[in-house]
Amino acid sequence: MASELRVNTLKDASGNNSIATSFVAGGSAKFRAHHTGDSPTTNESFNMSGLTDEGPGRYSYTFSSPFNTVYFTTTAMSTEDGTIGYVTMYYSRNYTRSASSVYIQGIDQGDSFDDGQYTAVVSHGDLA
């Protein structure tokens, strides 16, 4: 039998520092992943059911629990791999909004698709 805890306000052990539960739940990341670049291996993830390598610098992530709309926000960053100066991550040029996945890509300073050594991705929004 599952247990359920319902509260209106969270406080520290001294009864101070009231925190609204909606702020805590609303501000929490609902998806995150950290993985290697080439032939990605996931180091850590939350709410991820799949990671697909779509080619150099391109990744798609499938969520275990989808967002309630396609308008969630995603931020990604990647470390350079020693052969490039930087990798900039952004929504893929081929990205079609979906509540159940996100597709990002990285380009280097020469405007070429490129994997960094590590990539970190996080999304915020309300889950369905």
Side-chain angles (χ1 to χ4, degrees):
M1 182 168 124
S3 297
E4 190 172 293
L5 175 65
R6 294 181 185 204
V7 297
N8 293 322
T9 305
L10 297 176
K11 295 185 178 189
D12 65 16
S14 301
N16 300 317
N17 302 323
S18 174
I19 303 171
T21 56
S22 62
F23 176 78
V24 173
S28 300
K30 304 304 187 308
F31 159 75
R32 68 178 176 80
H34 185 279
H35 60 84
T36 58
D38 300 326
S39 303
T41 299
T42 303
N43 299 314
E44 284 194 14
S45 69
F46 173 73
N47 192 26
M48 183 177 80
S49 63
L51 165 59
T52 303
D53 185 349
E54 303 283 354
R58 300 176 201 162
Y59 307 102
S60 61
Y61 307 85
T62 306
F63 309 134
S64 301
S65 297
F67 286 85
N68 70 345
T69 73
V70 298
Y71 300 111
F72 59 90
T73 59
T74 298
T75 303
M77 62 187 320
S78 184
T79 59
E80 67 99 14
D81 64 8
T83 62
I84 54 175
Y86 61 86
V87 174
T88 302
M89 303 302 291
Y90 60 95
Y91 290 122
S92 171
R93 294 173 181 159
N94 301 321
Y95 179 56
T96 301
R97 288 192 168 273
S98 168
S100 58
S101 64
V102 66
Y103 185 0
I104 64 168
Q105 63 188 27
I107 58 168
D108 61 22
Q109 68 272 21
D111 199 27
S112 297
F113 295 116
D114 208 337
D115 294 317
Q117 183 175 4
Y118 295 104
T119 298
V121 185
V122 64
S123 297
H124 290 84
D126 293 327
L127 295 180

